[in-house]
Amino acid sequence: MNLRGAAALKYFARPDPASAGALIYGGDAMRVALRRQELIANLAGPQAEEEMRLTRLSGAEAKADPTAVLDALKAVGFFPGLRVVFVDGVTEAQAAPILTALDGWAPGDAALVVTAGALKKTSKLRKAFEAHGKAVAVGLYDDPPTPEEIDAAIAAEDLRLTDAARRDIEALARSLDPGDFRQTLTKIALYSGGEEVTPEAVALMAPATMDAGMDDVILAAAEGQAARIGPLMQRLEGQGVAPVTLVIFATRHFQQLHAAATGTAQPWGPNREAMARQARAWGTPRLEQALALLMDTDLTLRSASRAPQMAVMERALIRLAMMART
């Protein structure tokens, strides 16, 4: 069975104990790991490893011993409760023992949880789990988290949020990778101590995205203040800031502006009011041009070009500032 969206979230939160197991795959290893962790905890409980009801294997180990996965599924544990066999990082080249184990699964055996990277539609692993009557396949993609996923993460930390804080949390969810987002929510929960969370608390606990110097020069470019860019760049160069680092943070800034302009997310952090104003002033078409310019700059900085990298980055920021004025 192939699960997506709300159906996948429901399965992770309340998996069928009679299930043969699941294949969780996707290009974002952290996203896959978090869902795998959630599924195993909800299948076998938090004490599964201590009670020896969780068997861990790598894809390489499964290939080296083709019967290991099936033997683990059939093994009888010393402690009562559902058992899980977890095989991590399986590739198509290591699929054979997984397919054999899935084909040999029977009611009463352990649940089989398999993780993999990005898999094509023609993948043998995908086809086997999708076609199995008691197993599921879930593909995780780099799309922004859904409102349901954000609500589930908030509920897991038992957070109470003001409306403004919720908007900032939603913006954080769309700008951080899943692991950082979950860690940030945990920090906010510890900091709040059960009290209602405010935007100030979110800003305080959010990961630092850039130092003040980078913040200043990127804001100057977005505000059209071309004259400020040269002196700020000299200071950053003296501090040893790498041009590639600067283009990464500039791109993130303009991605947030683009998301705000298109209505898919709201800016967050101490500069959110300025960024909301910038998003309105730039508009979607010009922000797309700005992102294209930054992408070209990033490619130039990472290429074999002999152009002075800080000069390339400074020119890009000045061009952005000139675009902001038009």
Side-chain angles (χ1 to χ4, degrees):
M1 185 185 307
N2 184 28
L3 297 183
R4 291 185 177 184
L9 293 179
K10 183 178 179 180
Y11 176 79
F12 289 134
R14 293 183 296 277
D16 181 359
S19 169
L23 166 67
I24 309 172
Y25 65 92
D28 187 327
M30 178 59 74
R31 197 180 297 265
V32 171
L34 287 171
R35 288 303 181 191
R36 174 266 301 169
Q37 186 179 45
E38 177 186 4
L39 175 60
I40 292 176
N42 289 329
L43 271 172
Q47 303 302 318
E49 192 148 20
E50 290 84 347
E51 296 177 355
M52 295 180 289
R53 291 185 291 107
L54 174 61
T55 301
R56 297 175 182 267
L57 296 167
S58 67
E61 288 172 330
K63 184 178 181 181
D65 183 355
T67 65
V69 181
L70 183 58
D71 289 346
L73 289 180
K74 301 292 183 182
V76 178
F78 292 104
F79 294 88
L82 194 147
R83 294 178 299 108
V84 173
V85 177
F86 166 46
V87 189
D88 188 28
V90 177
T91 66
E92 281 295 291
Q94 300 161 343
I98 306 299
L99 302 182
T100 300
L102 185 63
D103 187 57
W105 181 90
D109 290 347
L112 175 61
V113 176
V114 178
T115 61
L119 297 175
K120 298 179 180 179
K121 290 183 178 180
T122 56
S123 160
K124 295 177 182 178
L125 284 167
R126 281 185 60 175
K127 287 183 176 181
F129 277 84
E130 289 172 0
H132 197 284
K134 299 290 288 184
V136 302
V138 182
L140 303 179
Y141 302 98
D142 294 340
D143 300 327
T146 65
E148 293 80 10
E149 289 175 315
I150 296 172
D151 287 343
I154 292 170
E157 298 294 345
D158 198 23
L159 291 174
R160 294 191 300 114
L161 307 169
T162 65
D163 289 343
R166 176 173 286 274
R167 288 194 293 271
D168 284 355
I169 290 291
E170 290 171 350
L172 270 177
R174 289 167 172 79
S175 60
L176 298 177
D177 67 53
D180 286 343
F181 177 60
R182 293 297 292 268
Q183 288 178 1
T184 299
L185 287 187
T186 300
K187 287 169 60 179
I188 292 171
L190 291 171
Y191 175 81
S192 65
E195 299 294 325
E196 189 174 52
V197 177
T198 63
E200 291 72 23
V202 175
L204 183 63
M205 295 295 106
T209 56
M210 62 186 82
D211 65 31
M214 285 196 291
D215 199 353
D216 289 341
V217 75
I218 293 170
L219 286 172
E223 296 280 358
Q225 300 170 354
R228 295 186 60 208
I229 291 173
L232 288 169
M233 290 294 287
Q234 289 180 2
R235 182 170 55 172
L236 290 174
E237 187 172 19
Q239 293 171 356
V241 174
V244 170
T245 301
L246 189 52
V247 77
I248 289 171
F249 283 113
T251 300
R252 290 181 182 174
H253 182 92
F254 278 85
Q255 285 173 336
Q256 283 199 62
L257 298 187
H258 185 267
T262 56
T264 57
Q266 294 296 320
W268 60 274
N271 298 314
R272 60 180 176 271
E273 292 183 5
M275 293 175 70
R277 183 180 66 251
Q278 292 164 13
R280 291 191 297 269
W282 276 78
T284 303
R286 282 196 298 161
L287 286 169
E288 289 173 353
Q289 294 172 15
L291 287 169
L293 169 62
L294 287 167
M295 182 179 297
D296 289 342
T297 303
D298 195 350
L299 291 172
T300 300
L301 293 175
R302 297 173 193 269
S303 72
S305 172
R306 295 184 179 181
Q309 291 202 334
M310 212 59 167
V312 170
M313 190 64 225
E314 182 175 344
R315 183 179 64 182
L317 292 173
I318 291 173
R319 287 179 64 187
L320 289 173
M322 301 306 293
M323 289 171 63
R325 295 179 179 180
T326 58

